[in-house]
């Protein structure tokens, strides 16, 4: 039987799935973007065989802060809505709960952005046109990259750490935005969170990885997609960070799905996918990149 984090990780994949034929992409599998504890941290790269625009989108492979692996040949169809538009897609994995904490997952995906930007020439992408998206925990990690990134440490010994981990556009599906109210000492903590080892943290620890805390005016354009009937990550998470974005004058949009819970199906799934793709098309174009330099 699959665990709850594994089930959540599959929900988004199913929502995007559709048949794929031919060789629409080339696959660069198991690219190593870092190491820890003697283990490799990896991502898969899907590059359109025709009409690649040079813009990149990172997908956070995460559900319950658990990051699973699947053969990229079996997952490439998930990203076809993006690769059909010329985006190069990176499926980024991080160290999984319960072995690794949320903070460590955040550090992993930060490094992935730095590594991809440093090696942009390898995949013929523009380092100034990098987007990120994910669902649930993946959405949380995407928002952390949007709100709490930096320009890198110029004095770091590791050349990867000298590079910025900022991203240029974000899409977050049903994303937790304030981990403090999900922590083990939160007074109104939902019982469902007892099933997630990653959330066995106190409010003080949770604050350091709560995107809501870090919203500032220089955050990238961010699209939020949320279900009004979500009983795992209530829609208030998305509404609260949307209000913070508005206060900080950050370009943002929240699309609420009236009858959806923690994940979308049918017409909602298609609408969400279309909105996600349109967001990246709008904010990762050549004109947008030039204007942001």
């Amino acid at each position: 039987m699959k665990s709850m984090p594994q089930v959540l990780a599959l929900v988004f994949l199913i929502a995007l799935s559709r048949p794929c034929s031919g060789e629409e992409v080339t696959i660069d599998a198991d690219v190593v973007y870092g190491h820890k504890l003697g283990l490799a941290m990896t991502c898969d790269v899907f590059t359109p065989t025709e009409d690649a625009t040079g813009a990149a989108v990172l997908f956070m492979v995460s559900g319950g802060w658990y990051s699973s692996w699947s053969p990229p040949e079996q997952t490439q169809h998930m990203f076809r809505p993006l690769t059909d538009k010329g985006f190069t897609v990176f499926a980024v994995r991080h160290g999984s709960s319960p072995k690794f904490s949320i903070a460590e997952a955040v550090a992993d995906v930060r490094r992935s952005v730095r590594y991809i930007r440093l090696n942009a020439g390898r995949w013929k992408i523009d380092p100034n046109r990098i987007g990120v998206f994910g669902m649930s925990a993946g959405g949380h990690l995407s928002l952390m990259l949007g709100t709490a990134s930096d320009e890198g440490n110029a004095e770091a010994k590791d050349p990867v750490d000298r590079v910025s981990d900022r991203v240029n556009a974000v899409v977050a599906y049903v994303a937790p935005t304030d981990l403090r109210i999900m922590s083990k000492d939160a007074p109104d903590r939902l019982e469902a969170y007892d099933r997630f080892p990653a959330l066995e943290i106190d409010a003080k620890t949770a604050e350091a990885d709560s995107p809501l805390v870090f919203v500032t005016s220089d955050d990238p354009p961010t699209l939020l997609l949320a279900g009004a009937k979500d009983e795992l990550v209530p829609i208030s998470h998305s509404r609260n960070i949307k209000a913070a974005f508005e206060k900080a004058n950050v370009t943002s949009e929240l699309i609420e799905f009236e009858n959806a819970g923690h994940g979308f199906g049918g017409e909602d799934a298609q609408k969400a996918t279309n909105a996600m793709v349109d967001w990246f098309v709008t904010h990762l174009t050549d004109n947008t990149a030039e204007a942001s330099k």
Side-chain angles (χ1 to χ4, degrees):
M1 180 178 292
K2 292 182 174 64
S3 68
M4 177 62 72
Q6 288 172 304
V7 170
L8 292 176
L10 290 173
V11 171
F12 183 75
L13 311 189
I14 294 170
L16 273 187
S17 298
R18 61 186 174 116
C20 179
S21 60
E23 298 296 330
E24 293 92 352
V25 299
T26 58
I27 299 173
D28 195 356
D30 287 325
V31 173
V32 177
Y33 67 83
H35 297 88
K36 63 182 181 183
L37 299 181
L39 302 174
M41 299 183 288
T42 65
C43 64
D44 297 324
V45 188
F46 304 87
T47 303
T49 55
E50 297 181 359
D51 302 321
T53 65
V57 175
L58 280 57
F59 172 59
M60 301 289 99
V61 182
S62 190
W65 297 277
Y66 178 95
S67 198
S68 59
W69 181 88
S70 297
E73 295 79 9
Q74 295 179 14
T75 61
Q76 68 181 76
H77 61 281
M78 294 168 14
F79 307 115
R80 187 172 178 180
L82 288 164
T83 55
D84 278 356
K85 293 291 187 179
F87 292 102
T88 298
V89 177
F90 295 76
V92 176
R93 293 174 284 271
H94 60 77
S96 292
S97 170
K99 176 64 177 178
F100 298 103
S101 67
I102 293 175
E104 290 172 302
V106 171
D108 289 352
V109 299
R110 287 185 192 281
R111 181 177 178 86
S112 75
V113 178
R114 299 187 202 278
Y115 181 89
I116 291 166
R117 177 167 279 120
L118 178 64
N119 293 280
R122 172 177 172 180
W123 298 289
K124 298 180 180 179
I125 61 170
D126 183 345
N128 294 306
R129 290 192 288 151
I130 297 176
V132 60
F133 78 116
M135 180 214 173
S136 194
H140 162 264
L141 295 173
S142 299
L143 288 171
M144 283 300 294
L145 288 171
T147 62
S149 295
D150 60 56
E151 296 295 342
N153 180 1
E155 298 180 358
K157 292 183 179 180
D158 186 341
V160 174
D161 289 332
R162 300 173 198 157
V163 179
S164 170
D165 63 347
R166 294 185 182 276
V167 295
N168 307 100
V170 175
V171 177
Y173 287 69
V174 294
T177 65
D178 189 353
L179 301 188
R180 296 171 296 184
I181 62 176
M182 305 169 78
S183 63
K184 62 183 181 181
D185 54 347
D188 297 319
R189 173 186 167 102
L190 299 179
E191 290 185 8
Y193 300 154
D194 293 340
R195 302 196 298 268
F196 294 86
L199 292 173
E200 286 299 305
I201 53 177
D202 58 31
K204 183 176 180 181
T205 301
E207 182 174 6
D209 293 301
S210 293
L212 182 63
V213 175
F214 299 101
V215 172
T216 52
S217 60
D218 60 348
D219 293 344
T222 300
L223 172 64
L224 305 161
L225 302 164
K229 295 183 178 179
D230 193 336
E231 296 181 354
L232 186 64
V233 180
I235 197 169
S236 56
H237 279 269
S238 292
R239 289 173 177 170
N240 289 344
I241 201 167
K242 177 62 168 71
F245 284 139
E246 290 178 351
K247 185 175 180 180
N249 294 316
V250 174
T251 299
S252 62
E253 182 178 351
L254 168 59
I255 300 177
E256 299 187 7
F257 294 82
E258 181 180 355
N259 296 310
H262 195 66
F264 310 131
E267 292 183 2
D268 285 347
Q270 190 59 57
K271 180 180 177 181
T273 296
N274 291 343
M276 177 266 292
V277 173
D278 289 346
W279 192 261
F280 289 133
V281 168
T282 298
H283 296 288
L284 297 178
T285 62
D286 283 322
N287 290 339
T288 302
E290 289 298 323
S292 66
K293 291 181 181 179

